Amino acid sequence: MDEFLGGSGQKRGVNMNAAIQSFGYGLAALLFCIAILGVCHNIKKTARKVLKSQQPHKGDLSQKF
């Protein structure tokens, strides 16, 4: 009976380690996605500023015609 309980406890520990490892990988993947979204947001904001600064103003456009 002691062998059965010892084997079961060890197996439970291995399953718990696998669960914690899976949780860690999932958490790392989530943080990675959040970081990528943050970088993309900053690139989008910078691109909008650059494109806005390059567009001619309405006053400048009407003076040409």
Side-chain angles (χ1 to χ4, degrees):
M1 181 100 178
D2 290 336
E3 292 175 15
F4 179 72
L5 290 175
S8 177
Q10 186 178 7
K11 191 173 184 181
R12 191 179 327 159
V14 170
N15 287 341
M16 187 59 131
N17 286 340
I20 295 295
Q21 187 177 12
S22 294
F23 177 74
Y25 286 145
L27 189 61
L30 183 64
L31 291 175
F32 181 74
C33 290
I34 290 171
I36 294 295
L37 286 173
V39 169
C40 290
H41 179 70
N42 287 339
I43 291 173
K44 185 177 177 182
K45 194 174 3 175
T46 304
R48 281 186 179 168
K49 283 183 183 178
V50 169
L51 290 174
K52 261 188 181 178
S53 68
Q54 290 180 352
Q55 287 179 350
H57 297 289
K58 288 184 178 179
D60 296 340
L61 191 62
S62 63
Q63 289 174 358
K64 288 182 182 178
F65 292 111

